[in-house]
Amino acid sequence: KEFKLLVNSGAVSRVQVNGVASGYLLSIQVKNDTHLLEKTRGEVRRFKKLEAVASYLRWLGLAVFDVDLTNYQPDQKAVLLD
């Protein structure tokens, strides 16, 4: 919810999609702070497909974003840390 409010406020200066183990993470830059998209329970939201991230961003009204695939490893399982 906070993520959408930041986008709707027009304060977003950069949108970044980062490839990670078995998926993609979405972050936005607002002033000097970076915000990762989270699920309602506070877990970081991981997208399985880049197309899903693009669809979500279009739904938010964002059409331009950067993609960093440096750490993308599609065959690696995601590691969840407690």
Side-chain angles (χ1 to χ4, degrees), residues 32-49:
N32 293 327
D33 296 323
T34 299
H35 301 269
L36 282 169
L37 178 62
E38 297 179 348
K39 297 179 183 181
T40 55
R41 297 181 188 203
E43 301 170 42
V44 174
R45 168 71 162 94
R46 182 185 306 264
F47 292 86
K48 290 183 180 179
K49 296 184 177 185

Side-chain angles (χ1 to χ4, degrees), residues 7-21:
V7 171
N8 289 341
S9 74
V12 175
S13 59
R14 183 175 184 206
V15 180
Q16 177 83 31
V17 177
N18 291 301
V20 294

